[in-house]
Amino acid sequence: MTERSYRIGLIRGDGIGPEVVAEALRVLDAVAEAEGFRIETTDYDLGAERYLRSSEVLPGSVLGEIRSQDSVLLGAVGDPRVPPGVLEIGLLLRLRQELDLYVNLRPSRLYEGVPSALGGVTPADLNLTIVRENTEGLYAGKGEVTLAGPNEELATEVSINTTQAVHRVTEYAFELAAREGRSVTMVHKVNVLERAGSLWQRVFKEVAADYPAVPTAYSHVDAAALLMVTQPRRFQVIVTDNLFGDILSDLAAGLVGGIGYVGSGNIHPGGLSVFEPVHGSAPDIAGTGKANPIGAVISAGLMLRHLGEESGADRIEAAVASVAGKVAGGQAGTREVGGWLAEAAG
Ligand code: IPM
Ligand code: MG
């Protein structure tokens, strides 16, 4: 029997990125050892340093090499020395587009002992997964700036919504909900965004018909923001467009202890996918050893599930659940928390 082995590309990136990726790798090594598979890593030097040195963000040759990996683990990109948008659009959004990573999977779960921004909630109240469309909407880069006259600019940002893209992401949300016995809520703003909203609604109904056992609901995005705070139990799986998903996933992170406690997957089902903590590069605490590695470790768990290593993924989830409260309650640093997680997962 051949040993299971996975080639993992690493984009450690900027700020706290390398620190949290190092801890995710310790945890992955412990799980690999316990489960009997191998992880082979390849580093890709991408992010602010490379850009400042060479003006390159994601050269085609590097993208080509990345395509040969089984998965990618990314730390964070962003640096105050680089103008906003350069790395975000040139690296993160480009990877999502080029690799057709059409699902942005963002689970938010409140762990025992982690304080929520909401009072009086328990872990049973907060376990929701946002399935965010990750290739189009307002992120498609369509729009223009025209000059209507001196000092009269007209800027448009066009939201692209195709039946195909909405269908595939909705199907992913239903598959997930069916597997886990959960409901799916579509979040949009169909009362104002009539064209895109009607397309989303029609596709949602069509896909829902194939999953009669999955309860469904619809919520306008503004109401969803309110209800996530006042009645979070209403939500289990949310499927929504790119920008709504971006905003609501930060809100969800706030409800489960903060951006340090959530991970994500940029997923092309069955194909090469990119896993990253939801937090950014946090330059203010880079190098201090204070970064919370939990988001990166959760992302590594999502990666194992995507690779079919279910039992390894379960180990990581259980390790995070057992350690998170201790992290929230104390002063432990990045390395120490990584050590606890590796120990619990191994
Ligand atoms: C996220 C981030 C990105 C996004 C930025 C950095 C481009 O906010 O992953 O949620 O808007 O998708
Ligand atoms: Mg965001």
Side-chain angles (χ1 to χ4, degrees):
M1 210 176 102
T2 53
E3 199 180 23
R4 294 168 345 265
S5 176
Y6 304 100
R7 291 159 48 82
I8 307 300
L10 301 177
I11 303 175
R12 298 177 195 251
D14 308 320
I16 60 171
E19 300 166 42
V20 297
V21 167
E23 302 314 310
L25 289 174
R26 272 170 89 188
V27 175
L28 280 173
D29 281 342
V31 172
E33 160 108 39
E35 293 285 325
F37 61 82
R38 272 166 44 84
I39 295 275
E40 253 177 76
T41 60
T42 306
D43 265 278
Y44 295 101
D45 167 29
L46 297 168
E49 292 301 338
R50 180 167 193 154
Y51 173 74
L52 291 169
R53 201 169 65 232
S54 67
S55 303
E56 289 173 329
V57 179
L58 179 57
S61 58
V62 177
L63 181 61
E65 285 174 39
I66 289 176
R67 285 184 198 277
S68 72
Q69 299 292 319
D70 293 319
S71 252
V72 172
L73 192 59
L74 188 148
V77 293
D79 186 296
R81 294 166 299 170
V82 179
V86 170
L87 298 169
E88 292 88 339
I89 296 175
L91 184 52
L92 282 182
L93 299 189
R94 182 141 175 257
L95 282 173
R96 292 175 187 173
Q97 295 284 347
E98 296 270 2
L99 303 175
D100 201 23
L101 307 174
Y102 65 82
V103 171
N104 195 187
L105 179 67
R106 298 192 152 180
S108 286
R109 186 175 151 199
L110 181 64
Y111 294 103
E112 201 64 60
V114 177
S116 168
L118 299 176
V121 285
T122 66
D125 297 316
L126 272 164
N127 184 0
L128 68 96
T129 298
I130 295 180
V131 174
R132 165 187 178 192
E133 201 292 318
N134 211 26
T135 54
E136 47 180 44
L138 278 161
Y139 280 67
K142 298 276 183 262
E144 57 180 10
V145 180
T146 49
L147 269 186
N151 295 322
E152 278 189 51
E153 267 179 47
L154 170 69
T156 58
E157 301 283 352
V158 179
S159 173
I160 303 297
N161 299 263
T162 63
T163 314
Q164 191 220 6
V166 176
H167 195 278
R168 62 188 186 172
V169 76
T170 305
E171 199 150 58
Y172 184 92
F174 273 92
E175 274 298 316
L176 177 72
R179 226 171 26 241
E180 299 181 348
R182 302 161 91 195
S183 65
V184 183
T185 303
M186 173 184 140
V187 170
H188 209 279
K189 185 79 187 178
V190 300
N191 53 344
V192 175
L193 308 178
E194 284 184 288
R195 302 172 194 86
S198 134
L199 186 156
W200 271 81
Q201 243 169 356
R202 273 178 283 124
V203 171
F204 185 78
K205 279 206 184 110
E206 202 181 295
V207 176
D210 295 335
Y211 297 84
V214 175
T216 61
Y218 168 78
S219 182
H220 292 321
V221 64
D222 49 349
L226 175 71
L227 291 171
M228 276 170 66
V229 172
T230 55
Q231 300 176 39
R233 261 182 191 259
R234 286 173 84 114
F235 299 103
Q236 299 182 351
V237 175
I238 288 177
V239 65
T240 190
D241 89 348
N242 211 333
L243 185 63
F244 296 150
D246 177 46
I247 298 167
L248 291 183
S249 59
D250 270 29
L251 174 60
L255 302 180
V256 298
I259 205 89
Y261 290 90
V262 279
S264 77
N266 298 275
I267 296 177
H268 184 101
L272 168 62
S273 299
V274 177
F275 296 83
E276 53 167 335
V278 178
H279 64 68
S281 58
D284 53 326
I285 58 161
T288 65
K290 287 188 191 149
N292 181 354
I294 284 188
V297 171
I298 290 174
S299 307
L302 295 173
M303 180 175 84
L304 288 187
R305 203 168 295 289
H306 177 75
L307 291 169
E309 292 293 339
E310 297 286 340
S311 132
D314 291 344
R315 280 177 183 272
I316 294 189
E317 267 184 27
V320 169
S322 71
V323 163
K326 199 154 76 155
V327 176
Q331 298 293 314
T334 314
R335 297 270 314 147
E336 195 180 354
V337 175
W340 293 342
L341 288 164
E343 161 103 43

